[in-house]
Amino acid sequence: MHESTFIVVDSDYKSRHELTLALGKMGYVIPADTLEELGGRWPEEAWLLVHDEGLQLSRTQRDMREANRFYPLVAYSKQAGISHIMDVLSGGAAGYLEWPTPDERLQRTLTNIMARKWQKSTSTIEQARAKQRIGQLSPREREVLTGVCEGFSSKEVARTLGISPRTVELHRANVLTKLGVRNVAAAVRLSVEAQFDTDTTEIEQRELAF
């Protein structure tokens, strides 16, 4: 396995320092409180490890989107429930680590996560990046994107959702902004890359109803 670059984002100095030391045996490590500390000096390729505490994970994902950078992201925490871990993974994370943990276990787990990525094609990496973007859409915006992907006009989507065509247009504009694309065709391509499942939206909507 070639030497990798790791960016460790953790506002807890002790945790960040210890993880940096452990990862130093696997590659080059850039420790930071936030991604802003990089000062725009982004590595061409890197693995991003983020402490899943408070708003740190969501803020880091936001900073990546704003910088138009999409590194494979691995979240970590001392202890997390299965349902929370699944939520993080479904949001586009490449893996989840327990930390602190013995160095050997950390390296073995991270190596397995990285190996799974490397064994897959570049299209899978693009899919993960696309899923990260799609995951930022609200349930209503996903419904509008679903309609667009199925070839419906704004009026048809509006009629199906029981909202005005003007509201659909506003949601479409928000979708383009959040996905970082210029037109609907690009949004459709991104949804295809993410293998966007419309059933997921329907399930989420039903869950929100309770």
Side-chain angles (χ1 to χ4, degrees):
M1 183 180 298
H2 65 278
E3 184 172 277
S4 301
T5 296
F6 301 98
I7 302 173
V8 177
V9 177
D10 193 336
S11 58
D12 183 324
Y13 173 78
K14 183 174 184 295
S15 172
R16 184 177 71 241
H17 178 67
E18 291 176 349
L19 182 55
T20 297
L21 292 178
L23 291 174
K25 302 173 183 178
M26 300 179 65
Y28 177 67
V29 187
I30 304 172
D33 273 330
T34 67
L35 288 180
E36 292 181 354
E37 288 191 8
L38 297 182
R41 298 186 297 275
W42 299 90
E44 183 175 347
E45 294 182 0
W47 283 80
L48 183 62
L49 278 76
V50 185
H51 191 180
D52 183 15
E53 182 177 55
L55 299 176
Q56 195 158 229
L57 180 57
S58 60
R59 286 174 176 169
T60 301
Q61 291 173 317
R62 178 202 62 195
D63 291 344
M64 272 207 302
R65 290 194 306 274
E66 292 179 351
N68 199 30
R69 293 282 178 171
F70 297 94
Y71 300 130
L73 185 151
V74 178
Y76 65 89
S77 65
K78 183 175 182 179
Q79 187 174 15
I82 295 298
S83 61
H84 176 72
I85 293 175
M86 294 305 296
D87 286 342
V88 172
L89 295 177
S90 65
Y96 204 103
L97 295 172
E98 179 184 347
W99 180 258
T101 191
D103 288 2
E104 296 78 9
R105 181 178 178 184
L106 168 73
Q107 293 165 16
R108 182 173 63 252
T109 303
L110 185 55
T111 296
N112 288 338
I113 292 172
M114 297 170 72
R116 287 198 298 271
K117 278 290 184 182
W118 281 325
Q119 287 169 358
K120 296 178 182 178
S121 64
T122 302
S123 62
T124 303
I125 297 177
E126 293 301 321
Q127 179 184 341
R129 292 173 177 172
K131 282 185 175 181
Q132 283 183 326
R133 296 185 183 184
I134 295 293
Q136 305 310 309
L137 301 180
S138 70
R140 179 63 86 188
E141 289 165 348
R142 293 190 189 188
E143 286 183 323
V144 170
L145 178 58
T146 297
V148 170
C149 291
E150 292 176 353
F152 294 115
S153 66
S154 293
K155 289 183 178 179
E156 290 171 327
V157 173
R159 186 164 53 251
T160 299
L161 299 180
I163 57 180
S164 70
R166 173 59 178 165
T167 300
V168 171
E169 290 297 328
L170 290 174
H171 283 310
R172 282 179 52 164
N174 288 337
V175 167
L176 298 185
T177 298
K178 287 185 177 181
L179 297 184
V181 297
R182 295 183 178 180
N183 52 52
V184 172
V188 172
R189 285 196 298 271
L190 193 65
S191 67
V192 171
E193 289 178 0
Q195 295 182 5
F196 182 46
D197 186 353
T198 57
D199 289 338
T200 300
T201 301
E202 295 171 357
I203 292 172
E204 289 174 348
Q205 285 294 88
R206 288 198 296 270
E207 290 176 343
L208 289 172
F210 290 101

